[in-house]
Amino acid sequence: MGRSSRACSVLGSALLLLLLSLGSAAAQKGSTWKTLSGKAPAIIAKGGFSGLFPDSSGNAYQFVGIASSPDTAISCDVWLTKDAVGICLPNINMDNCTTISDQFPQGKKTYNVNGVSTAGWFSVDFTITDLQNVTLKQSILSRPYYFDGLWPIVPVDAVLSQFKVPAVWLNVPLDSFYSQFKLNMRSYILSLTKQYIVDYISSPEVNFLTSISGRVSKKTKLVFRFLDERSIEPSTNQTYGSMLKNLTFVKTFASGILVPKNYIWPVTPDNYLLSYTSVVDDAHKAGLEVYAAGFANDFAISYNYSYDPLTEYLSFIDNGAFSVDGVLSDFPITPSEAVGCFSNLNDSKIDHAKPLVISHNGASGDYPDCTDQAYQKAVADGADVIDCPVQVTKDGIPICMSSIDLMDVTTVATSQFATPAVTITDLKPVPGVFSFNLTWDDISKNLKPMISNPLSKFQLYRNPRNKNAGSFMRLSDFLAFAKDKDLSGIMITVERAAFMAEKLGFGVVDAVIKALDDSGYSKQTAQKVMIQSTNSSVLVKFKQETKYDLVYMIEEDVRDAAPSSLADIKKFASAVSVSTKSIFPTTNQFLTNQTNNLVTSLQSSGLPVYVYLLMNEFVSQPYDFFSDATAQINGYVQGAKVDGVITDFPGTAHRYKLNSCMGKNAPDFMRPAQPGGILSVMDPGAQPPAAAPMPLLTDSDVAEPPLPPVSNTTTALVFDFQPRDPEDVAAALAVLSRGEIPGESSPAISIDSFMQGRRGSQSKNGDIYSDLPAMMDVQAWFGGERCGGSPAGGAGSSGTAARGTPSAPPTGSASGGRPAWSSGSTTAGTTPTGWLRP
């Protein structure tokens, strides 16, 4: 007996690719933890690294040693087979987590489980030999299924003997249930403790824990597991909620309690935090350790955490008032970060300088884009640079607005300005109400901001209580706000300058320069001014007229930049923004092993690189970052060596700069993800299709003609108006009669002449329409020539794509056959077959 009996199983060569180095330990904290013992909180990997691999699979257990703190324990939910062999599974219904129904389609039964009639496939109906061809699958449907069917069920004794881990936690969900099958869980657990060291044993049944208390090693911690507060504990017939009020009784048979995390930090029905409870304090006063369960990076967490799982862990271990004694997590890398690298930062003077943290529309992950509250939050969260994307109103006022279409970011759809929405093909392929359709007073006095929800298709919404919070800001307001803040600079984004010049008669470059001059930015050096654009012509004009830092945003996903394009960029830009996929290509949300040299090429040319766009929501991140925004930032900063990040959540990026685990002595879990590493563990038959190579950025992609001169006369705008009912027609006519056409000061055409279709209208190609259809499916020139004006033209538009989902599940299974676990105990120091990928 002893820890040495757990021999380290040989890692497959594929898993070794995930390791960049070994032997580093997590940073030690000098301050005293507020745990019962004063030691750092324990980290228990629930079913191994079950957030990625099937719960309780061999690879899930192996991966803990690769991507977690070296003192992380592993857990196993214990179930008994028909022949009294213990196995590890996350659920009593085997069909939820294995391929049992494929092997035994007639094996479904119904049993009474603690008073509840439950149907499914149960381990008590099968021997360990029956289960030798049954494989594990992901029990959470939203997680990747590419590892399903690769690994067999793992016996409990294999977990105790074959994995080199500092501790093992055995959870016994049911005890009394087995008596109806003449099986004895108590006897099985006691027999294990005579062969192996079992560090933790937990159960929600009082009788089970009292029956083994005093019969196991004094080093084994017995932990009473609390279920839902309204559930009935079968031994005492009391609710778990009532038992929570009698912790002195619990102390008579247990040394700790395991509680759902909402016992400690409850949430409101709309998922906001309430005040923390006294559970931890009460338990510590009773001499009980407290372990919190229910942590998973890809589960919904309170909006207070801004979709940042690291923030949630810190609220349980480093909040200044208390600390739980341990956490059970499906993603043990994140509590490893919390304990080893990010606790006690309030007293830290560390600031690693890089990356430069640039907000994206302010702290737009928490408040509506480009509002005063979004900017205030960005500054409070430690952004180095806050940004303003410039649009223009009907009365020529530059404003900070993330979209030129007010439908995207305001409540215009429910306002008196909602109709008629029009299509301007130069801007968007769908109808919209654009900033230049309304005056500043129209916008600021009648509309409210609307928070952006880029991942709403996944039912992920941002801060709904504040979805309309804040006030809009003019560019002048933004500059005045930023000037006295602790910022290294500001970034102004300018797009569609040619469109504004030709069709609106508005020179946005000149307007931005004037606003900066008027606010004093051109005469100060405390804060640098950065101008960003996807258009080289915009930056060329700024370079001709100012000395500001110019940032070229490469809109396309590219693998590298040709030398000629680098030379062109250097002529007008001092930095470059690139997409996440240009740095780390993906296929079905896995990092590929394709090597993109874009960052190296740009930096070698003296161009700092900023990566966009980082978001905290887990579905926005490749699986290689473990649904952890901090791991993603670490990948781009330490792995790709970017100079800055553009993010909706600047607080997460700023906190990263303060962590204590940077540099050569960084622990393994803070090593950046290796592109293609997770794919290499996958069975070849299950891998997603290879991604097509990205194009090379060439000089033709960069070069643009100079910006057109600002028109002194207002030219017409194309609207693709397709009314759906008579009310749309009436609204259009009302607009025409008011003459509210962008840039027009009087009605452009009369209602009568429009209805009769007599007026000659020029198409985009300059041809004359001899006739206009009566109102339906017309492309009409609302406006026309005045004072020698010419028809309008313009550039196209672009969009962004949300995270996709795999088109089909993988086919096939592990090649070459898969050895099964042999029944019975294993020999210490040997590696049983079955759980390594063949």
Side-chain angles (χ1 to χ4, degrees):
M1 187 173 77
R3 188 66 63 208
S4 61
S5 66
R6 295 183 190 149
C8 179
S9 54
V10 179
L11 287 174
S13 59
L15 282 173
L16 285 173
L17 292 175
L18 298 173
L19 287 168
L20 295 184
S21 64
L22 294 168
S24 298
Q28 300 297 311
K29 299 297 177 185
S31 60
T32 301
W33 292 92
K34 294 182 180 295
T35 56
L36 183 64
S37 66
K39 296 179 181 179
I43 301 166
I44 300 94
K46 179 189 167 295
F49 209 111
S50 54
L52 181 64
F53 301 104
D55 193 304
S56 306
S57 65
N59 257 35
Y61 287 130
Q62 272 192 323
F63 199 69
V64 172
I66 294 173
S68 307
S69 170
D71 54 2
T72 300
I74 59 175
S75 78
C76 160
D77 285 0
V78 182
W79 310 92
L80 292 180
T81 64
K82 188 175 183 178
D83 50 348
V85 177
I87 58 175
C88 298
L89 291 175
N91 198 288
I92 188 173
N93 184 358
M94 297 180 68
D95 192 40
N96 288 343
C97 52
T98 74
T99 58
I100 187 73
S101 60
D102 297 331
Q103 297 291 328
F104 300 95
Q106 306 302 318
K108 188 174 184 180
K109 300 287 183 65
T110 300
Y111 293 120
N112 184 299
V113 181
N114 284 353
V116 178
S117 181
T118 306
W121 280 257
F122 297 83
S123 60
V124 293
D125 293 321
F126 307 95
T127 67
I128 192 67
T129 302
D130 294 333
L131 299 177
Q132 64 181 350
N133 291 319
V134 176
T135 55
L136 296 165
K137 66 182 182 182
Q138 183 58 259
S139 58
I140 307 296
L141 294 180
S142 60
R143 291 175 177 171
Y145 50 69
Y146 296 99
F147 307 104
D148 290 0
L150 298 182
W151 297 288
I153 295 170
V154 181
V156 177
D157 58 0
V159 171
L160 290 165
S161 63
Q162 298 303 315
F163 298 98
K164 188 179 180 181
V165 291
V168 172
W169 181 306
L170 298 184
N171 179 57
V172 180
L174 296 171
D175 172 40
S176 57
F177 167 77
Y178 291 101
S179 61
Q180 60 187 302
F181 307 101
K182 298 182 180 180
L183 295 170
N184 193 314
M185 178 65 79
R186 170 180 167 274
S187 297
Y188 173 73
I189 292 295
L190 289 175
S191 68
L192 281 177
T193 62
K194 292 176 181 179
Q195 300 177 65
Y196 309 103
I197 293 176
V198 180
D199 303 275
Y200 302 87
I201 300 174
S202 64
S203 176
E205 297 188 19
V206 172
N207 279 355
F208 172 74
L209 291 175
T210 55
S211 71
I212 65 172
S213 179
R215 304 191 65 180
V216 298
S217 169
K218 292 182 179 180
K219 295 181 180 180
T220 300
K221 295 183 178 182
L222 301 184
V223 180
F224 181 54
R225 181 175 185 176
F226 282 79
L227 303 181
D228 181 85
E229 292 187 57
R230 292 171 292 182
S231 297
I232 302 294
E233 195 283 316
S235 308
T236 62
N237 204 33
Q238 297 181 44
T239 65
Y240 288 97
S242 64
M243 294 189 68
L244 192 63
K245 300 174 184 177
N246 192 8
L247 293 178
T248 54
F249 167 66
V250 176
K251 177 61 178 173
T252 63
F253 60 86
S255 62
I257 60 174
L258 172 62
V259 299
K261 63 183 182 179
N262 63 355
Y263 270 45
I264 300 168
W265 277 106
V267 296
T268 62
D270 60 343
N271 206 26
Y272 285 86
L273 286 180
L274 294 168
S275 298
Y276 61 83
T277 68
S278 62
V279 165
V280 176
D281 189 48
D282 293 343
H284 284 176
K285 287 179 179 177
L288 291 165
E289 292 184 318
V290 181
Y291 300 90
F295 292 94
N297 294 1
D298 55 355
F299 288 178
I301 59 177
S302 170
Y303 292 116
N304 299 76
Y305 300 129
S306 301
Y307 287 99
D308 183 355
L310 179 54
T311 299
E312 181 183 33
Y313 285 106
L314 290 170
S315 75
F316 282 82
I317 67 169
D318 187 33
N319 57 44
F322 65 84
S323 172
V324 298
D325 300 276
V327 294
L328 273 71
S329 173
D330 292 10
F331 293 84
I333 186 173
T334 309
S336 297
E337 295 166 354
V339 174
C341 306
F342 288 91
S343 56
N344 303 314
L345 292 186
N346 289 337
D347 301 324
S348 174
K349 296 182 180 180
I350 297 173
D351 188 332
H352 298 284
K354 285 189 177 182
L356 186 72
V357 178
I358 305 169
S359 76
H360 178 248
N361 308 321
S364 55
D366 293 299
Y367 289 98
D369 297 3
C370 304
T371 57
D372 57 344
Q373 292 205 27
Y375 290 128
Q376 289 165 13
K377 174 71 169 168
V379 172
D381 283 352
D384 298 308
V385 176
I386 59 174
D387 68 307
C388 168
V390 175
Q391 313 297 343
V392 64
T393 64
K394 181 179 179 180
D395 47 346
I397 295 176
I399 61 174
C400 298
M401 191 75 71
S402 62
S403 175
I404 196 170
D405 185 0
L406 301 177
M407 288 283 197
D408 295 335
V409 288
T410 77
T411 57
V412 70
T414 58
S415 74
Q416 69 267 39
F417 305 110
T419 56
V422 294
T423 297
I424 302 178
T425 54
D426 291 338
L427 300 179
K428 292 184 71 173
V430 295
V433 177
F434 300 96
S435 64
F436 50 79
N437 295 144
L438 305 181
T439 66
W440 169 246
D441 280 351
D442 290 337
I443 295 171
S444 61
K445 295 180 179 180
N446 297 282
L447 306 183
K448 292 182 179 180
M450 186 170 67
I451 201 166
S452 60
N453 287 299
L455 299 166
S456 59
K457 65 180 290 186
F458 299 100
Q459 301 301 305
L460 296 178
Y461 298 93
R462 295 174 170 178
N463 197 4
R465 284 188 184 177
N466 291 285
K467 63 182 180 181
N468 301 122
S471 300
F472 300 112
M473 297 188 78
R474 296 167 294 191
L475 175 58
S476 58
D477 300 326
F478 169 82
L479 296 174
F481 166 82
K483 197 167 186 181
D484 63 346
K485 301 301 184 294
D486 185 17
L487 296 166
S488 63
I490 58 170
M491 176 183 280
I492 298 173
T493 300
V494 177
E495 302 293 346
R496 303 180 184 87
F499 172 88
M500 293 182 188
E502 288 184 319
K503 299 190 177 183
L504 304 181
F506 181 76
V508 64
V509 172
D510 294 334
V512 169
I513 293 174
K514 183 178 186 304
L516 288 166
D517 287 343
D518 291 346
S519 61
Y521 270 89
S522 59
K523 299 177 182 178
Q524 59 85 50
T525 58
Q527 293 179 352
K528 64 180 177 181
V529 176
M530 306 165 72
I531 308 294
Q532 178 177 256
S533 183
T534 59
N535 298 120
S536 59
S537 56
V538 169
L539 300 180
V540 167
K541 185 170 177 61
F542 270 105
K543 187 173 182 65
Q544 292 170 346
E545 301 186 20
T546 71
K547 295 183 179 180
Y548 300 134
D549 290 356
L550 306 178
V551 182
Y552 181 53
M553 175 176 276
I554 302 175
E555 200 169 14
E556 304 82 7
D557 295 333
V558 296
R559 70 178 188 273
D560 203 348
S564 57
S565 66
L566 291 171
D568 284 348
I569 294 171
K570 283 282 290 181
K571 293 176 183 177
F572 59 81
S574 53
V576 178
S577 300
V578 303
S579 69
T580 56
K581 288 187 178 181
S582 291
I583 299 175
F584 292 137
T586 63
T587 176
N588 285 16
Q589 287 301 102
F590 290 96
L591 297 185
T592 71
N593 58 6
Q594 294 180 17
T595 302
N596 279 11
N597 296 317
L598 182 61
V599 174
T600 301
S601 297
L602 291 167
Q603 291 176 338
S604 297
S605 297
L607 295 166
V609 177
Y610 310 135
V611 60
Y612 71 90
L613 172 67
L614 301 190
M615 297 183 280
N616 283 3
E617 291 94 340
F618 63 91
V619 295
S620 70
Q621 302 151 11
Y623 292 118
D624 304 67
F625 298 130
F626 313 120
S627 301
D628 182 344
T630 299
Q632 182 184 36
I633 294 170
N634 193 53
Y636 285 101
V637 175
Q638 294 299 315
K641 305 297 184 184
V642 300
D643 301 281
V645 296
I646 300 175
T647 173
D648 286 354
F649 297 88
T652 300
H654 171 72
R655 183 189 57 208
Y656 173 81
K657 296 168 63 172
L658 309 179
N659 84 81
S660 59
C661 294
M662 300 276 272
K664 294 181 180 179
N665 295 322
D668 294 333
F669 59 83
M670 284 295 287
R671 305 289 184 186
Q674 179 175 337
I678 299 297
L679 279 177
S680 69
V681 184
M682 205 177 293
D683 187 81
Q687 291 190 5
M694 293 179 183
L696 183 72
L697 185 74
T698 65
D699 50 358
S700 62
D701 298 317
V702 176
E704 291 181 348
L707 286 177
V710 176
S711 175
N712 291 325
T713 58
T714 304
T715 58
L717 291 176
V718 179
F719 298 107
D720 182 11
F721 177 61
Q722 299 183 5
R724 295 179 173 86
D725 53 48
E727 290 183 359
D728 288 336
V729 177
L733 297 180
V735 170
L736 289 171
S737 65
R738 291 197 306 265
E740 293 192 358
I741 308 301
E744 298 286 347
S745 59
S746 61
I749 58 176
S750 71
I751 295 174
D752 289 340
S753 64
F754 181 82
M755 291 294 290
Q756 294 170 9
R758 293 178 182 173
R759 183 174 184 217
S761 296
Q762 290 183 313
S763 73
K764 284 183 276 188
N765 295 322
D767 298 327
I768 301 297
Y769 286 150
S770 60
D771 193 21
L772 286 176
M775 298 301 292
M776 295 301 296
D777 296 325
V778 299
Q779 257 197 343
W781 286 82
F782 287 178
E785 299 180 10
R786 284 197 314 181
C787 305
S790 60
S797 61
S798 64
T800 58
R803 168 178 175 170
T805 54
S807 58
T811 57
S813 59
S815 60
R818 179 190 43 74
W821 285 100
S822 58
S823 59
S825 61
T826 56
T827 304
T830 63
T831 303
T833 58
W835 57 267
L836 287 178
R837 186 168 80 88

